[in-house]
Amino acid sequence: ILWYEGIAEHHPLLEKLGPEPLSDDFSADYLYQKLKTQKRAVKLALMDNAIVVGVGNIYANESLFKAGISPTRPADKVKKKECVVLVETVKAVLQRAIETGGSTLRDFINSDGKSGYFQQEYTVYGRHNEPCVRCGGLVQKEVLGQRGTFYCPNCQK
């Protein structure tokens, strides 16, 4: 336990964190302002807790696919109208993951002893060389930031 008298968001361990992705603070305007200064791949920026907290590897892959944005595209090349779609998509993907109990990899179970079922809905994650659910082309895999990055080169530009 860490006791801190004062506003929690001002604690040194928390003050540099971005907003929660399901909050109103995570908006298209906010994301666009953050991304336009980033030269790195948009997927890496989306997974950066200083930009937004809680968007892990699986959810970044799935959100970028659903938004039609290549994970390898430089973040500063994402247009404002694409940020509108991306923010909506991140929120929808995370909400769906919560509804289905998250993603179970290996032997994880939650406090009720249940596995998550979101992995049954993956559109790209873990589907290297499988047909894209949208166009039928093959899902590709690259490593970005030491994380597996799955995408459809036809559907994500």
Side-chain angles (χ1 to χ4, degrees):
I1 297 174
L2 178 65
W3 185 264
Y4 180 72
E5 292 187 25
I7 299 169
E9 290 82 9
H10 294 161
H11 187 281
L13 296 174
L14 301 175
E15 68 184 351
K16 292 185 172 76
L17 295 178
E20 292 285 338
L22 297 178
S23 72
D24 291 340
D25 292 335
F26 183 59
S27 67
D29 288 332
Y30 167 83
L31 184 60
Y32 179 72
Q33 292 304 315
K34 290 293 184 179
L35 294 185
K36 74 180 187 177
T37 65
Q38 303 284 318
K39 300 285 185 200
R40 62 187 164 165
V42 66
K43 181 188 171 212
L44 298 178
L46 195 57
M47 292 175 50
D48 183 342
N49 285 332
I51 293 177
V52 58
V53 297
V55 181
N57 189 42
I58 292 169
Y59 305 119
N61 278 284
E62 293 296 311
S63 297
L64 288 163
F65 174 75
K66 291 178 188 303
I69 299 170
S70 172
T72 62
R73 188 192 314 173
D76 64 347
K77 302 299 183 204
V78 178
K79 297 178 179 82
K80 187 158 186 186
K81 66 182 181 180
E82 292 174 310
C83 285
V84 171
V85 174
L86 184 54
V87 165
E88 290 172 0
T89 303
V90 166
K91 290 177 185 248
V93 165
L94 290 174
Q95 191 60 49
R96 182 64 186 151
I98 291 167
E99 290 167 4
T100 58
S103 298
T104 294
L105 301 176
R106 298 180 192 89
D107 58 359
F108 171 81
I109 55 172
N110 69 17
S111 60
D112 295 332
K114 297 178 182 173
S115 299
Y117 293 98
F118 185 69
Q119 68 274 7
Q120 294 175 358
E121 299 182 16
Y122 291 166
T123 53
V124 288
Y125 184 80
R127 299 191 69 237
H128 180 233
N129 282 332
E130 292 182 27
C132 172
V133 298
R134 202 178 284 152
C135 75
L138 293 181
V139 172
Q140 300 297 307
K141 178 183 179 185
E142 283 190 38
V143 176
L144 286 176
Q146 301 177 357
R147 304 301 300 270
T149 302
F150 301 87
Y151 64 101
C152 174
N154 299 325
C155 296
Q156 294 174 260
K157 303 295 180 193

